[in-house]
Amino acid sequence: MATSSTTTPQSTRLFLALWPDAAVREQLRAWRELWNWPRGASPVHTDKLHMTLHFLGNQPAESLPAPLDGLAVPFTPFRLQLGVAELWHNGIAVLSPQDTPQQLLDLHTALSGALPGVGLQPEQRPYRPHVTMARRAKGVAVPQNGPVIDWAVDHYTLVESKTGDGSGYTVLREYR
């Protein structure tokens, strides 16, 4: 087994997210099916649909216990109504809230304040709450009407994103 300078430290790719339950995930899937995806588009698999709060990037695996414990912030449950379909300039198709609840913005802000305490820095770009429905969707006809998804948000999650053979998302912790 290789050791010392030839070994690459193990890292894990992390993000904080609102993670829908099965009923909301099914409603998101139904919304995704309303789009007529162009050739080459990559719709997000149903089990990966979520709303990112903070992307944390690659982090050393050995530092994982600190983020797990240090990201519990005061949280007030809220209702989130999704129903605005958009295609962003970079070919990302999203479903956004009709109105952004103050409790969502408060949660985002509280997590921004907690990140430095576990050695992480929040992203500097403005927060745009959305669920990514597909990537590489340039040219898609954006559906104008679809059902409003009424999501009762009562928790947020710390999620690991695995690429390659271990492809997928693993919820590491739920925070209520």
Side-chain angles (χ1 to χ4, degrees), residues 142-157:
V142 178
Q144 296 305 305
N145 296 309
V148 173
I149 297 173
D150 188 23
W151 182 356
V153 177
D154 64 358
H155 68 281
Y156 63 97
T157 57

Side-chain angles (χ1 to χ4, degrees), residues 33-46:
E33 298 305 316
L34 293 175
W35 300 66
N36 186 12
W37 301 112
R39 174 176 238 108
S42 181
V44 174
H45 193 277
T46 304

